[in-house]
Amino acid sequence: MANRILLVNGPNLNLLGTREPHIYGSESLADVEASARTAAAAFEWEVDAVQSNHEGELIDAIHAARDTAVGIVINAGAYTHTSIAIRDALVAVGLPVVEVHLSNVHAREEFRSHSYISPIAACVIVGAGVQGYEFAVARLARIRAQSV
Ligand code: DQA
């Protein structure tokens, strides 16, 4: 069985730490990825981390995970609210998906409350900051343990 998970971060998340820190916190994308790797190590998983500001690159990474990963943790950023193509890619690869948002999207602008990903996700975590990624990894582990 594969021992890797795919961690996907979408547009503008490369700016974490400097981007609207009152909303997204002071930790960087490297900090996010390190947290996910630490959480994954507890389950003897490795993390393939991708961040892109380009929808097609995110889709390519999701497709590649089909043969390498046991599940996907994704913060698609603003593509969450717009991208049917990313949703379709997630469905196509057939891996369990946990959706993460650093901020509580439901406490913000109305348009952030709609997600194309949530209906096909196994779990959705919002508003827990970087810890949300740790929760997501732990949730994937529980899902996998129940499915094997
Ligand atoms: C976000 C929430 C989105 O609405 C926003 O476009 C982001 C970040 C979050 O992590 O809270 O880029 O996904």
Side-chain angles (χ1 to χ4, degrees):
M1 187 173 111
N3 67 340
R4 313 187 73 80
I5 61 171
L6 177 66
L7 170 62
V8 179
N9 280 293
N12 301 307
L13 293 168
N14 54 310
L15 300 180
L16 279 180
T18 58
R19 173 195 181 199
E20 300 178 274
H22 58 291
I23 296 174
Y24 298 117
S26 57
E27 291 177 273
S28 67
L29 178 63
D31 294 330
V32 165
E33 292 177 353
S35 286
R37 286 186 207 286
T38 301
F43 305 103
E44 301 184 344
W45 284 345
E46 300 202 14
V47 175
D48 293 318
V50 60
Q51 186 281 327
S52 178
N53 298 319
H54 305 278
E55 191 174 19
E57 285 183 9
L58 298 171
I59 291 167
D60 288 344
I62 292 166
H63 288 179
R66 174 157 54 179
D67 300 320
T68 59
V70 294
I72 298 174
V73 173
I74 183 165
N75 181 349
Y79 284 142
T80 304
H81 318 301
T82 63
S83 181
I84 298 168
I86 289 176
R87 171 193 169 129
D88 282 353
L90 292 167
V91 172
V93 300
L95 293 168
V97 172
V98 178
E99 176 183 0
V100 177
H101 298 284
L102 291 149
S103 65
N104 179 358
V105 286
H106 303 295
R108 301 179 62 195
E109 299 96 328
E110 178 87 32
F111 65 83
R112 294 186 203 277
S113 282
H114 176 262
S115 165
Y116 279 105
I117 297 170
S118 294
I120 59 90
C123 172
V124 181
I125 298 164
V126 305
V130 176
Q131 195 180 15
Y133 291 84
E134 299 168 19
F135 295 153
V137 171
R139 186 65 202 150
L140 263 190
R142 181 67 65 91
I143 290 165
R144 294 304 312 197
Q146 289 168 351
S147 69
V148 291

